[in-house]
Amino acid sequence: MSNAQKRLMIAGYGGLPFGEVSQCEAGNVGVLGVPSEVSNGPRMGASLAPDALRRMTGQLGADLPVNGRDLGNLDLSGDWSDALMQLVTQLVDNDVVPVVLGGASDVALAVLHAIPDLPVVAAMPMARGDVAARQANTIWVGLNGAQPADVWDQISQRKMGWRTARHLDEGHGEFSESPERAVLWIDMSVIDLGHAAGVVGLNPAGMKPETLVAVIGAMLCSWQAIVITGLAPARDTRGMSELAAIETLNAALRDG
Amino acid sequence: MGDAAHIQFDTIPSFLGVPVGDLEDLVPDQIAMVGYFCDNLDRPAAGQRYLARQLRYASQSGKAPANAIDLGDVNVFPLEPDKHFSAVIAQCGAVLETGARMVLVGGDSSGLKALGFAGQKITGANVPVVSVAEGIASNLSDDQPTILRVDLKELAGKWMSQPRRLSGQSPTQMIAQIHATPGCVIAAAVFGLAPALDNRGSTETRAALAILQAVTERLEKGAP
C-alpha cells in the first residue's frame, strides 16, 4: 500500500485526523461533510463532494494550513438541518471555525441561519434574496448574468459591495469595505463551466478558478465559518473543480 | 553506426524521431537524449517513469536538431538507491565526457540530482542548476556551464490530465524561459509528468514534446 493510499484510509480532509467536536481546540477548524443533493435540475452529484474532496486532498498530499479535526459526514436521515445548525453554533461558540463541505445550497442556508448576525461574503453567480435580506450587508463575489430585480434593488439601496466575474477576471478585485469577521459561502457554480466542469450550475463567462483563489485569498476577513456548495465532482473527470475548491479553501484559511 | 543499422533501427520510436545510437556514436556538441525510468527516489509519484516511453511513441520526426541522437534509457536500480545514483552519475558522466550535451527525460527529480553530480565531476566545478519555473538568473555569464531544470509539474493545471495545482506556467511561457536561459547549457532534465492516455493526456504529451524540442534547441545553442 502506498503512502497516499494509507493516508486516504487514516486521515480526513487535508490530512486532518478524524475526531469529535470535543477534540477541537480554540483556533482550530472543524471540517464537516454534509452530502445533501440538489433537489432538481439536470446537474446532480453534489452529495459526492465531501468524500471526493477528502480523496483529492489525500491524493495531492495537500494539507490544511491550520490544525483541527475532520468531523466526518453529517447523518442526513433525520432533520439534518437543525442538527447542522446546532453543530455550527457549538463550534463557533468554542471559537472553532466550521468548514462545511456541501452538498447543495440548503447546507449553506442552514449554516447562515446558525450565525444570523455576521455579514456574508458570497461567491456565487446569482445574488439570492434570502442572503441579501440578512441584517448585515453581504459582499457579492463573481456575479454573472441577469440578476433578479428585487434583489438588485436591495443590493443597490443598501450599498452592498459586489463584483462581477468579469470585474474580477480583469483584476478589479478590491472591495471598498471589507468586514472584519464574516461567513464565507462559496458556491462552486461561480466558476466558469469551461474551466471546471464539476459544478451543479451552468455559468458561462463565470470566474476562472485561479481568480477565485486569488480574490478569496486577498480578503482580510477573519472567517467565522466557511461553507462550500455546488460541487459535483463526477462531472469533472480531471478534478479541476475539486482542485479549485481545495485551493480556495486553503487560501481562505491561510490568510483569514 | 552504419547505414544498415540505421535502416534496421528506423522503426524504433525515439525522442522527436531522432536516430537511435549508442555512447560510441557521440561526438562533441552532439545532443544526447536519454530516458530515465525511475520515479520512486526524489519527490516520488508513480507514473513519471513512463514519460520517456510516452514521448518516444508520440514523437514525429523532423522536429529535433540534426545532430540529436537517442541513446535509450540509462540503467537504473530503483530499489538500491546508492547503487542507482552511482550508476546514473557514471552513465551521465560518460555522456558528458564525450563533449556531447545531454537531456535526461522522464522520472522524478532524482535524475536531475545525478545529472548535477555528473556535471560537477566532468567540469571540476559546481554546475548551477537553472530552473525554468523560477525565472532567469541574470548573473550567469555566457560561458558558465549550467544545467537546465524543467519540472513539468510547474505547468498550470489546465494543461494537465490530472491537475495538481491551478496556477503555473503555460507551455509557451516555459518554452520562452528555456530559450532565454543564460549560461552555457551543458545538460537538462525534463521530468515530473506522469503521462495519461486520455484526451487530456494527449494535450499534456504534446506540450511536453514541444518543451522537449525547445530544450534540444537550447542545448544545441550551448552558450547564447
Side-chain angles (χ1 to χ4, degrees), chain A residues 32-35 71-77 80-81 83-84 87:
Chain A
L32 179 68
V34 187
L71 307 173
N73 285 353
L74 192 69
D75 180 3
L76 300 191
S77 55
W80 62 266
S81 186
L84 174 58
L87 204 51

Side-chain angles (χ1 to χ4, degrees), chain B residues 103-173:
Chain B
V103 51
L104 202 56
V105 183
D108 60 18
S109 49
S110 62
L112 175 69
K113 282 188 176 172
L115 200 51
F117 285 119
Q120 193 174 348
K121 201 168 127 189
I122 298 305
T123 62
N126 191 29
V127 181
V129 174
V130 178
S131 168
V132 294
E134 289 162 12
I136 304 302
S138 55
N139 55 344
L140 291 175
S141 63
D142 282 352
D143 56 355
Q144 167 69 56
T146 55
I147 293 173
L148 195 54
R149 176 187 195 271
V150 185
D151 186 349
L152 298 174
K153 281 199 196 81
E154 305 292 344
L155 285 170
K158 63 182 171 187
W159 298 96
M160 315 297 279
S161 174
Q162 300 295 326
R164 299 182 64 83
R165 47 184 277 181
L166 291 175
S167 56
Q169 292 184 313
S170 70
T172 310
Q173 287 170 322

Side-chain angles (χ1 to χ4, degrees), chain A residues 24 26 36 60 76 82 87 90 111 168 175 180-181 191 201 218 228 230 255:
Chain A
C24 295
S36 72
L60 295 175
L76 300 191
D82 267 357
L87 204 51
Q90 189 183 353
V111 173
L168 298 168
F175 288 88
E180 280 183 20
R181 299 162 69 242
I191 294 177
I228 291 182
D255 301 314

Side-chain angles (χ1 to χ4, degrees), chain A residues 6 8 45 48 74 92 180 184 198 212 237:
Chain A
K6 276 185 201 164
L8 283 178
L48 302 174
L74 192 69
V92 171
E180 280 183 20
L184 175 61
L212 178 64
T237 53

